[in-house]
Amino acid sequence: MTRPGPLGIIAEVTHRCPLHCPYCSNPVDLVAAGEEMTLLEWLDILVQARDLGVAQLHLTGGEPLARSDLVGVVRAAHDLGLYTNLITSGISLTPNRARTLKDAGLTTSRSASKRPTRFSPTDWRGRPLTPEN
Amino acid sequence: MNTETIAAGTEDGRRPALRRHFGLRWNDARQGHLLVGPETVVVLNDTGAAIIRLCDGRHSVDDIVDALSTAYTEVNRDEVVSFLSRLYRLQLADE
């Protein structure tokens, strides 16, 4: 390996989502649930990513929690040594599911559920995001 | 930022610690260490990794310089302090 690849990957594990946020940057042409990549296909991607030098996996969607096998992706990523970050609305995240994901090796999770009337985006440190930065 | 201020601010036994959710990870493909945290990856050289390994909230700046001096010759305290202040500024570590 002479030229290391990317440091992180953003994995849109599903395009299913219970929300319809106006600011969502998802593709318009959504992949139907039946055509999503399988868990095994994701595992293959993760191994390839690790071999390329990827250190960080951001799980997003759609709503990543819409996949019942999400914990399998998390566990595999953890076993491969990836820092795993779940980006979720938090909707449908029960305490049990959160614990299962944490036990599987999820490193961090961040939620952004914005009220439509008041949209104040922040970065992960909680600092407001403005057009200038 | 004034280097003297940085040095003065770290004199009194403060003990640098990585922020929560940040950690040092070996990257096979790069054959080097990374500092990985939420939405952040910092590619480190060997000396950077050696300093960060000691940022555990238990070692003071002097401890870190002493420990590095056993592994490296001619450790420059100002460079260590300057590296640490970059970690603070980037909110990767607290003193």
Side-chain angles (χ1 to χ4, degrees), chain A residues 18-91:
Chain A
L19 301 177
H20 301 280
C21 306
Y23 56 85
C24 184
S25 54
N26 256 345
V28 183
D29 188 14
L30 302 180
V31 175
E35 293 163 29
E36 284 172 3
M37 283 171 56
T38 64
L39 178 58
L40 275 179
E41 286 170 329
W42 276 112
L43 301 193
D44 180 44
I45 293 283
L46 294 181
V47 170
Q48 292 185 47
R50 191 271 318 266
D51 290 347
L52 281 170
V54 166
Q56 202 172 44
L57 169 71
H58 301 283
L59 292 164
T60 182
E63 171 52 65
L65 292 171
R67 277 190 79 120
S68 56
D69 57 3
L70 185 69
V71 67
V73 180
V74 169
R75 188 170 290 120
H78 175 72
D79 290 347
L80 290 166
L82 299 180
Y83 186 108
T84 310
N85 180 32
L86 174 66
I87 302 163
T88 175
S89 69
I91 288 176

Side-chain angles (χ1 to χ4, degrees), chain A residues 104-117:
Chain A
L106 185 68
T107 328
T108 56
S109 175
R110 54 169 307 179
S111 294
S113 309
K114 308 295 184 192
R115 282 182 292 171
T117 49

